[in-house]
Amino acid sequence: MPERHSFSRIACKEVSMYSVLIVDDEKIIRDDVYGLLSMEESMELDLSQGSCGAEALKIMEQRKIDIMIVDINMPQMSGLELYDIIRERWPYCKIIFLTGYADFDYVYKVHKHARYVLKAVEDEKLLEALRESIEEIEQDLLLEQATSLQQER
């Protein structure tokens, strides 16, 4: 069984680089997102790519991923199916769904803990979702550190 990553593993050091996995069956989309994020200087990101859910899981078993940007509609394993596996095995990983469909209320009702970005919208929406995910990771880390300190007393 793959290791379950938690913040306690990294709570003793300050996190400044975030690992981001981009998962989409369309290479042009992966490359566009990769290009956008690699030019973003305000965030230190370690970027990697996967072309399908199975490849994403293989990458996650080999290394810690903080944030996954994943297409909802992929063959073999949808982004929603991948999300369910990620939530179970790596609950601290943040998810940003990419979708080509504007009406994703049905998805939101089931997956309220993820962010959603339309593929066709401006780049700033994706960057905003990524910044929010990083802020959430930092808040979770601070909460875990505070809880750990309280337990030591």
Side-chain angles (χ1 to χ4, degrees):
M1 173 144 222
E3 176 183 349
R4 293 180 188 261
H5 299 292
S6 74
F7 290 115
S8 60
R9 221 176 74 151
I10 57 173
C12 59
K13 66 176 186 169
E14 184 175 320
V15 176
S16 60
M17 177 155 307
Y18 297 92
S19 58
V20 179
L21 176 57
I22 303 159
V23 185
D24 198 306
D25 59 311
E26 296 179 61
K27 183 174 178 4
I28 192 165
I29 300 294
R30 286 193 319 268
D31 290 346
D32 284 351
V33 172
Y34 188 96
L36 171 69
L37 299 183
S38 65
M39 293 187 317
E40 184 58 33
E41 295 178 2
S42 67
M43 297 176 272
E44 290 192 42
L45 305 173
D46 176 21
L47 302 172
S48 53
Q49 299 183 46
S51 62
C52 63
E55 188 176 354
L57 291 173
K58 185 176 180 180
I59 291 169
M60 291 200 64
E61 288 173 354
Q62 296 171 353
R63 57 188 290 232
K64 180 183 167 292
I65 298 295
D66 297 306
I67 302 166
M68 183 182 297
I69 300 171
V70 61
D71 183 17
I72 288 179
N73 189 17
M74 296 186 295
Q76 284 92 35
M77 181 187 304
S78 74
L80 300 176
E81 292 168 317
L82 179 58
Y83 172 92
D84 290 337
I85 295 169
I86 299 302
R87 289 270 59 80
E88 181 182 318
R89 293 186 189 173
W90 300 283
Y92 290 106
C93 181
K94 305 305 177 196
I95 307 292
I96 300 171
F97 282 121
L98 291 177
T99 181
Y101 305 101
D103 183 19
F104 46 78
D105 288 341
Y106 70 98
V107 176
Y108 179 75
K109 290 175 185 171
V110 177
H111 299 88
K112 295 177 181 159
H113 301 291
R115 290 173 176 77
Y116 302 85
V117 177
L118 288 172
K119 288 184 181 182
V121 299
E122 65 272 7
D123 296 343
E124 188 55 40
K125 294 286 186 188
L126 178 57
L127 294 174
E128 179 182 325
L130 187 61
R131 285 185 200 103
E132 289 172 356
S133 294
I134 288 172
E135 287 175 16
E136 192 175 319
I137 289 169
E138 290 172 352
Q139 289 172 358
D140 290 348
L141 180 57
L142 288 173
L143 180 61
E144 184 170 303
Q145 287 173 336
T147 303
S148 179
L149 286 173
Q150 271 186 332
Q151 290 174 349
E152 288 175 7
R153 292 181 185 174

